[in-house]
Amino acid sequence: MHPQLERNLLQLDPWCQTFGNKAGRGKSVLRSIGKEVEICSKDQSSMDHQTIVNNSRVQGALNLFQELLEKLTHEASLTMKKVIISKLHVEAAMTLKRQQKWVNTTKRLGHVPGIEVGDTFRYRVELCIIGLHSHFQNGIDYMEKDGKILAISIVDSGRYANDKESSDILIYSGQGGNPMVGHKQAEDQKLERGNLALKNSMDAKTPVRVTRGFQATKVTSQGYTYDGLYFVDKYWQEIGQFGTLIFKYQLKRIRGQPKCNLREFNESKKSKVRWKITFNDISRGRELNKPKKSKVRMKTILNDISQGKEERPIRVVNTIDDEKPQPFSYIARMVYLESSNWSIPSGCDCTDGCSDSVKCACVLKNGGEIPFNCSGAIIEAKPWIYECGPLCKCPPSCNNRVSQNGIRFPLEVFKTKSTGWGVRSRNYIPSGSFICEYAGELIQDKEAEQRVGNDEYLFDLGGGMNCLESQLNSFEAMDDLQSSSYKAKDYGAFAIDAAKFANVGRFFNHSCSPNLYAQNVLYDHDDKRMPHIMLFATKNIPPMRELTYDYNYMVGQVRDINGKIKKKRCYCGSRECTGRMY
């Protein structure tokens, strides 16, 4: 290793010790392989407390931003003002900054606590709120260290002609002199500010964070994805598209990090090569070649596993082998016992939609406020959510009718490498969005015990609250729940069996670091012994990322029909993985 590089790595030891790696278990460090540098993982049995705190702080700041943005958007719609949505983004972000709600505000080299490779953000201002990149527009962020400015982060948003030579090499254009920015006259770029900072980072061998923007397509929304840490390998000058001199920088990705997939494709009409970001199922991407030369075939097994029972078709794909899902009867709604006997709850009288916290009976059940925002995203996790029911006078478009309206995102079932079948969305999913219900056959616990030999699809409703509590950290609501009068109880002896009768919910895998959580919802009855189990997103989820929730098994507590303790290994691959599901 170069002596200067070795000295800088020693100076950056705190960064080396805390780099987040979703695909590996434990903390990560740098090591040298000849002249190369890669990130490797230290063995760690569980996630340390500080990492949990950092993740919670970042997610909490993003949730506050989304709530405020929703509020500003709603207020603008009421006043009938024509407001540019990007201005609302900035207004929301600056309001949070004045309230000192931004996190990771101290500039730093390397990894930012609470942010991991592959994390996706819908708006550019979110990068500033969480400390990933401090500029709303400038693509190069830098800091002063030992009398020199060093680049700490770049955002490839498409304003300049940047190219990706391979999955680990980024060619980045310098800043300045672009007539498309500010409608000014083109001029030669100067070796100052961000351009000088990148050059100094190359000399000092310090890492630079790279965040890549992706444009909206027919199946994806516009957004930004954190791509990890790079070293500036070299730089040069060349004539740009406007006839002026520009700086070009070659950045090389540090080895050992999880990858986002980059898929190259041709536009047949323009014959130009462009880049499109996609994601694989467990955040360790692989580079895909052009479609004509690709070795990976996307084989569609079924065009719609729901057979038309869902509003959106749910296709099944397999790029691993020729296996097909085991046959079952698809249902879009729960199958209840013939002996089930409950009364439909009395409804509200809100003919124009529910909003009045004093008059609306359903709002009062939810503690005085509707649990969803105007986009249908859940505001916070609660022990119980009460949606408007069949006897309510409000229309189907009521803000308090969300999960009962079914699946909104284009889901697909796919074969994973190590955990069987899984589920992902072809669209970006904002935090708090409803995904689907865990639907199946409602059975009594006594019958569930008889099915213990085939219990892979059993969801114990008596333990549903514990499952909720274990995942509330993502919403920063654990303290509120524990301090409330609610305590987890066994509300009844029922379970949901999705072995024979089920919807797409049967294919969602367990993860020790889930991006969904199970929420108890009531709307067509008030019997807490048998709530609807609705899955909601705990964070922003990029397209094609596997959707998972915590099964909440207790190690040493699962037994077979003979009473012997069962053991099952966990292959979720997350950093927090304990190695055992039960």
Side-chain angles (χ1 to χ4, degrees):
M1 181 186 293
H2 191 281
Q4 179 64 31
L5 174 57
E6 186 173 12
R7 283 195 296 271
N8 282 294
L9 293 182
L10 291 174
Q11 294 172 0
L12 292 173
D13 184 67
W15 159 67
C16 299
Q17 297 297 323
T18 59
F19 181 85
N21 186 345
K22 281 186 176 180
R25 194 188 310 170
K27 298 178 181 178
S28 297
V29 297
L30 286 175
R31 70 181 181 189
S32 63
I33 304 177
K35 295 183 179 180
E36 299 294 331
V37 174
E38 73 170 357
I39 293 176
C40 57
S41 297
K42 283 186 176 181
D43 186 31
Q44 178 179 312
S45 60
S46 62
M47 187 178 181
D48 60 275
H49 175 71
Q50 189 58 48
T51 304
I52 296 176
V53 173
N54 292 335
N55 291 343
S56 181
R57 290 177 65 244
V58 167
Q59 189 60 47
L62 293 174
N63 288 343
L64 288 174
F65 166 74
Q66 290 165 5
E67 292 173 16
L68 183 55
L69 180 60
E70 288 288 347
K71 180 180 178 181
L72 294 175
T73 304
H74 181 63
E75 291 175 351
S77 65
L78 292 177
T79 57
M80 303 300 290
K81 291 182 179 180
K82 293 183 178 180
V83 181
I84 300 176
I85 191 67
S86 60
K87 291 184 177 180
L88 295 182
H89 299 165
V90 175
E91 181 181 348
M94 294 307 297
T95 299
L96 293 180
K97 185 176 184 180
R98 289 191 294 270
Q99 297 174 352
Q100 298 183 342
K101 299 297 184 181
W102 285 21
V103 297
N104 299 318
T105 53
T106 301
K107 290 191 175 184
R108 71 189 73 211
L109 289 164
H111 174 61
V112 177
I115 305 172
E116 297 184 346
V117 175
D119 284 352
T120 298
F121 312 95
R122 194 170 187 178
Y123 306 111
R124 174 74 177 261
V125 297
E126 291 179 296
L127 309 182
C128 304
I129 294 172
I130 62 175
L132 187 59
H133 191 87
S134 65
H135 298 291
F136 288 159
Q137 291 186 327
N138 292 344
I140 307 173
D141 193 6
Y142 52 88
M143 62 177 287
E144 184 175 347
K145 183 177 176 62
D146 299 330
K148 290 186 177 182
I149 56 173
L150 299 174
I152 58 176
S153 170
I154 62 173
V155 176
D156 177 13
S157 59
R159 288 170 54 190
Y160 297 86
N162 302 316
D163 301 306
K164 190 91 172 184
E165 283 198 343
S166 72
S167 61
D168 294 320
I169 301 294
L170 171 66
I171 307 299
Y172 189 81
S173 298
Q175 65 180 194
N178 191 343
M180 295 188 295
V181 180
H183 305 288
K184 58 186 178 182
Q185 185 175 359
E187 58 183 11
D188 292 344
Q189 291 183 351
K190 300 176 182 179
L191 193 60
E192 60 183 15
R193 299 182 298 156
N195 296 336
L196 178 59
L198 283 172
K199 188 262 183 187
N200 289 342
S201 293
M202 179 193 71
D203 295 336
K205 304 293 184 183
T206 53
V208 179
R209 297 187 296 272
V210 172
T211 302
R212 296 186 60 83
F214 54 93
Q215 300 300 315
T217 68
K218 292 182 179 179
V219 297
T220 62
S221 304
Q222 180 176 351
Y224 299 86
T225 296
Y226 178 45
D227 195 30
L229 300 178
Y230 286 65
F231 281 134
V232 183
D233 191 44
K234 59 182 178 180
Y235 83 105
W236 64 92
Q237 283 185 294
E238 64 180 46
I239 301 297
Q241 59 178 319
F242 302 107
T244 56
L245 284 173
I246 64 172
F247 286 100
K248 287 278 192 174
Y249 299 85
Q250 177 174 293
L251 289 89
K252 190 171 184 179
R253 199 169 192 268
I254 300 176
R255 294 174 57 186
Q257 302 178 85
K259 293 183 181 179
C260 300
N261 280 341
L262 291 173
R263 181 161 58 89
E264 186 179 6
F265 70 98
N266 289 321
E267 285 189 321
S268 57
K269 292 183 179 181
K270 298 180 180 180
S271 297
K272 293 181 179 180
V273 176
R274 301 172 65 183
W275 289 96
K276 174 182 174 183
I277 288 185
T278 58
F279 304 85
N280 72 349
D281 51 318
I282 314 180
S283 78
R284 299 192 74 174
R286 59 180 181 275
E287 184 183 357
L288 300 181
N289 298 321
K290 296 180 181 180
K292 292 182 179 180
K293 299 180 181 180
S294 177
K295 297 180 180 179
V296 179
R297 294 190 305 168
M298 182 68 73
K299 186 176 180 181
T300 300
I301 305 298
L302 292 171
N303 290 321
D304 183 13
I305 197 171
S306 77
Q307 299 178 339
K309 294 179 181 178
E310 304 283 4
E311 289 190 11
R312 292 175 174 269
I314 302 173
R315 71 179 183 181
V316 180
V317 298
N318 188 345
T319 61
I320 306 297
D321 50 38
D322 295 326
E323 183 185 355
K324 297 181 180 180
Q326 293 295 318
F328 68 99
S329 297
Y330 195 98
I331 56 174
R333 302 288 180 182
M334 283 289 300
V335 174
Y336 290 104
L337 297 167
E338 293 183 2
S339 58
S340 298
N341 184 21
W342 59 68
S343 59
I344 299 177
S346 58
C348 63
D349 297 322
C350 309
T351 56
D352 296 329
C354 302
S355 59
D356 195 320
S357 61
V358 177
K359 296 181 180 179
C360 179
C362 298
V363 172
L364 291 175
K365 286 183 181 179
N366 287 299
E369 61 181 4
I370 294 178
F372 309 103
N373 62 25
C374 57
S375 297
I378 197 167
I379 296 174
E380 64 174 343
K382 296 182 177 182
W384 303 96
I385 293 293
Y386 296 88
E387 293 191 7
C388 291
L391 297 183
C392 293
K393 296 182 180 179
C394 57
S397 59
C398 173
N399 286 344
N400 199 36
R401 297 181 186 269
V402 174
S403 62
Q404 62 187 267
N405 290 331
I407 298 171
R408 296 168 48 204
F409 293 95
L411 304 179
E412 73 176 24
V413 178
F414 73 105
K415 184 68 178 297
T416 71
K417 287 185 176 180
S418 57
T419 55
W421 295 98
V423 182
R424 60 193 179 193
S425 169
R426 296 194 298 277
N427 277 11
Y428 172 91
I429 298 176
S431 177
S433 297
F434 170 68
I435 307 302
C436 82
E437 179 175 4
Y438 189 90
E441 180 185 5
L442 183 71
I443 60 175
Q444 293 181 334
D445 264 4
K446 290 182 179 179
E447 186 173 353
E449 291 174 1
Q450 298 301 316
R451 303 184 185 187
V452 71
N454 186 24
D455 58 355
E456 291 186 6
Y457 299 103
L458 284 178
F459 194 110
D460 183 6
L461 294 181
M465 287 297 91
N466 295 327
C467 182
L468 171 62
E469 288 182 5
S470 69
Q471 298 173 72
L472 281 182
N473 281 328
S474 300
F475 288 85
E476 292 193 327
M478 178 62 79
D479 292 338
D480 295 336
L481 182 63
Q482 291 178 339
S483 61
S484 70
S485 59
Y486 167 78
K487 297 296 180 182
K489 302 176 182 178
D490 184 0
Y491 275 97
F494 291 95
I496 299 174
D497 187 0
K500 295 181 179 180
F501 301 92
N503 68 343
V504 68
R506 81 195 299 265
F507 293 107
F508 285 84
N509 280 319
H510 161 83
S511 175
C512 298
S513 179
N515 49 25
L516 309 179
Y517 86 100
Q519 171 70 58
N520 294 312
V521 176
L522 296 171
Y523 63 89
D524 53 355
H525 65 82
D526 281 335
D527 194 335
K528 290 184 176 180
R529 296 176 303 165
M530 49 189 75
H532 293 275
I533 302 300
M534 304 298 191
L535 300 176
F536 287 85
T538 63
K539 60 182 71 176
N540 296 329
I541 306 173
M544 309 304 280
R545 176 73 54 82
E546 184 176 7
L547 306 176
T548 59
Y549 68 99
D550 188 350
Y551 287 5
N552 201 42
Y553 286 118
M554 300 294 290
V555 175
Q557 299 298 314
V558 179
R559 300 178 182 274
D560 61 20
I561 195 170
N562 297 317
K564 295 183 179 180
I565 295 177
K566 297 177 65 176
K567 295 182 179 180
K568 188 171 185 178
R569 294 189 62 185
C570 179
Y571 298 96
C572 70
S574 73
R575 181 184 176 189
E576 299 85 354
C577 183
T578 60
R580 281 185 62 181
M581 191 178 299
Y582 53 75

